[in-house]
Amino acid sequence: RGLGERGVDRRLVAERPHVAAVAGRFVVHLRRSALQRVDAIHRRGQHPIVDVDQFCADCREALAEDQPRLAVRELLDRALADPRAVSDALPPSEGRPNVLYHAPDLTVMHVVWAPGMNLYPHDHLMWAAIGIYGGQEDNAFYRRSGPGKRFLDETGGRRLVTGDVLLLGDDTIHAVTNPLGRLTGAIHVYGGDF
């Protein structure tokens, strides 16, 4: 499968030239202590680069927290504080999902929605955290019309734009649309084998 020690596809690592010394830039590790480094970099007017491997490792560590989905949300909030840094590490080039990390209890994906893409109503049967680093994702939410029913009733929606993070519960049913004429880039973290 070509996966590295953290489950990261080695082809992706080759496509991300951010892991060595990059002139005038710093690699940012998204741990709780990293916020101070990010602040220092911003004060100097420099642009950090997100370390995707470390982000996946931090998501693994978040599973040990009392509320793992909230800990993952905090990681996404911090990463998306600088959407350009995420885009530099995960440039959206074509509409497709790409697995960054996969294990029985955690899946981290780089998802790029094609312009005008529509995804039918679905559930994940696990919690999820979605962070948008570029573009827009419109979510419509549904519930079953009754126990054992095949029909869905729409219950609302939420528009996600650059910098937004959305938590989905284990039983959430939603449909997704990219209403834009350009790509939308996101990081999706799932609390299980997606």
Side-chain angles (χ1 to χ4, degrees):
R1 288 169 33 131
L3 297 180
E5 67 183 48
R6 290 193 180 114
V8 176
D9 190 325
R10 291 194 185 280
R11 292 170 297 171
L12 292 175
V13 173
E15 295 172 8
R16 288 186 265 123
H18 66 278
V19 267
V22 180
R25 294 175 170 236
F26 297 88
V27 175
V28 175
H29 297 283
L30 296 174
R31 292 181 181 264
R32 296 185 196 286
S33 62
L35 198 52
Q36 295 155 340
R37 289 193 301 272
V38 172
D39 289 342
I41 288 168
H42 285 293
R43 281 193 303 274
R44 290 192 298 262
Q46 295 167 316
H47 180 63
I49 300 174
V50 172
D51 182 334
V52 176
D53 294 337
Q54 188 62 53
F55 177 82
C56 293
D58 290 345
C59 286
R60 278 241 37 97
E61 288 179 19
L63 294 180
E65 299 286 333
D66 290 336
Q67 296 289 324
R69 68 184 84 194
L70 297 179
V72 166
R73 178 192 175 101
E74 184 178 330
L75 291 169
L76 280 169
D77 282 335
R78 289 181 181 175
L80 296 173
D82 188 347
R84 192 173 113 198
V86 178
S87 183
D88 286 350
L90 297 168
S93 57
E94 63 179 308
R96 67 185 172 115
N98 214 346
V99 176
L100 301 174
Y101 179 87
H102 180 256
D105 57 351
L106 179 72
T107 304
V108 180
M109 297 180 73
H110 174 222
V111 176
V112 179
W113 298 127
M117 179 280 319
N118 289 298
L119 190 59
Y120 58 86
H122 63 282
D123 59 13
H124 302 135
L125 302 177
M126 64 188 74
W127 64 262
I130 299 167
I132 305 297
Y133 69 84
Q136 179 178 317
E137 176 182 307
D138 290 349
N139 284 264
F141 298 107
Y142 300 87
R143 69 169 171 247
R144 298 200 183 282
S145 56
K149 302 292 182 178
R150 294 179 23 194
F151 299 101
L152 299 174
D153 296 323
E154 190 167 346
T155 60
R158 172 120 184 254
R159 171 169 288 159
L160 302 177
V161 296
T162 300
D164 286 344
V165 176
L166 174 67
L167 289 181
L168 301 175
D170 299 8
D171 58 353
T172 300
I173 301 171
H174 72 139
V176 180
T177 300
N178 174 6
L180 304 177
R182 61 185 170 91
L183 296 171
T184 291
I187 298 175
H188 290 204
V189 182
Y190 299 94
D193 181 1
F194 186 70

